[in-house]
Amino acid sequence: MSLLVIGTVAFDAIETPFGKTDKIVGGAASYISLAASYFSKNINLVSVVGDDFSKDFLALLQTQGVNLEGLQIKKGEKSFFWAGKYHNDLNNRDTLDTQLNVLANFNPIVPELYQNCEFLMLGNLMPSLQLNVLAQLKKRPKLIVLDTMNFWMDIALDDLKKVIAQVDVLTINDSEARQLSGEYSLVKAAQKIIAMGPQTLIIKKGEHGALLFNKQEVFFAPALPLEEVFDPTGAGDSFAGGFIGYLAKTKDISADNMKRAIIYGSAMASFTVEKFGTERLIGLTQHDVENRVQQFLDLVQVDITLV
Ligand code: AMP
């Protein structure tokens, strides 16, 4: 089933307790597309880069089945740039720099070929651009998933709330859920956020897993205790890509299938953090993915007979 992805395609500079990179390829849509490409070969990307961006990476996306017709390459302009530094616990980070560059005047255009997509992943991007893309779609996709971050809550909350009102699933981390709702309790936060529009809220808690809330129930997916956690950048996006990619592959958006999808999302995120940037998401096999999912299942498998 076709999946439309929007979000940043960018350069990042990352500092973790284990090392430091200069400019490497990053961006929410890069991670989402790569992670989803292990589930669907019908991925359509809408984004923008400058002509400084890596041609090799774009070619790699194409070989993974990502259609780049909706990717604008701006002559003489610079790609979006983000720099971040992780604290020692790797669960928290500071943004050191955000340079919008090409994003500042980006006018997304959804190509005719992308119309009628059944799944839409609104990756992290200015909420006004997410609204712009939603307005261009002639038919509402079967499922719309939104990922965003505190940066947009700080500077574009009104627009962000308009996007949130139109989506089916929102994925944010625990501190963002608290910021958005004004509630410390994640249960109360979820109730308030679900009342803003989405039927499903996924709260990511880094190495502590992810919670899925809907009106009826709460489901928890652990994160895999990994020997090597190198760089958490893109974990949330890879999670989102695995989540929506699995739903698109299985063509089932029931609450039960979303529980399976968050295990697949968590598996893709667990790969990403093992190396810097997008490196670990390149060249995985189907066997690698299934093996990783099996490790998640083994982690929570237990026999209990209630008396
Ligand atoms: P994550 O670690 O999953 O939250 O995503 C990290 C990616 O998000 C990086 O590769 C950045 O390029 C990208 N990013 C950082 N800040 C923003 C922002 N304000 N808007 C869109 N993308 C961003």
Side-chain angles (χ1 to χ4, degrees), residues 84-104:
K85 183 176 176 179
Y86 287 85
H87 300 184
N88 278 341
D89 67 2
L90 289 175
N91 267 341
N92 290 301
R93 72 179 177 206
D94 298 322
T95 288
L96 301 179
D97 198 2
T98 302
Q99 294 173 20
L100 293 180
N101 298 328
V102 277
L103 218 57

Side-chain angles (χ1 to χ4, degrees), residues 8 10-12 26-28 31 80 82 86 93 98 103 124-126 147 149 151-152 232-238:
T8 45
F11 282 128
D12 292 343
Y31 288 102
F80 176 77
W82 174 79
Y86 287 85
R93 72 179 177 206
T98 302
L103 218 57
N124 194 7
L125 195 68
M126 271 166 210
D147 183 50
M149 72 187 291
F151 184 77
W152 303 118
T233 309
D237 308 310
S238 308

Side-chain angles (χ1 to χ4, degrees), residues 274-293:
E274 287 180 329
K275 294 220 168 125
F276 265 113
T278 55
E279 204 182 331
R280 188 69 173 101
L281 278 186
I282 297 165
L284 293 172
T285 63
Q286 221 50 49
H287 182 71
D288 293 332
V289 174
E290 293 301 324
N291 241 345
R292 193 50 72 93
V293 169

Side-chain angles (χ1 to χ4, degrees), residues 6 46-47 72 106-110 125 128-130 132-133 136:
I6 74 162
V46 169
S47 190
Q72 299 175 27
F106 179 39
N107 181 22
I109 295 166
V110 177
L125 195 68
S128 58
L129 297 178
Q130 294 171 327
N132 181 325
V133 166
Q136 287 181 55

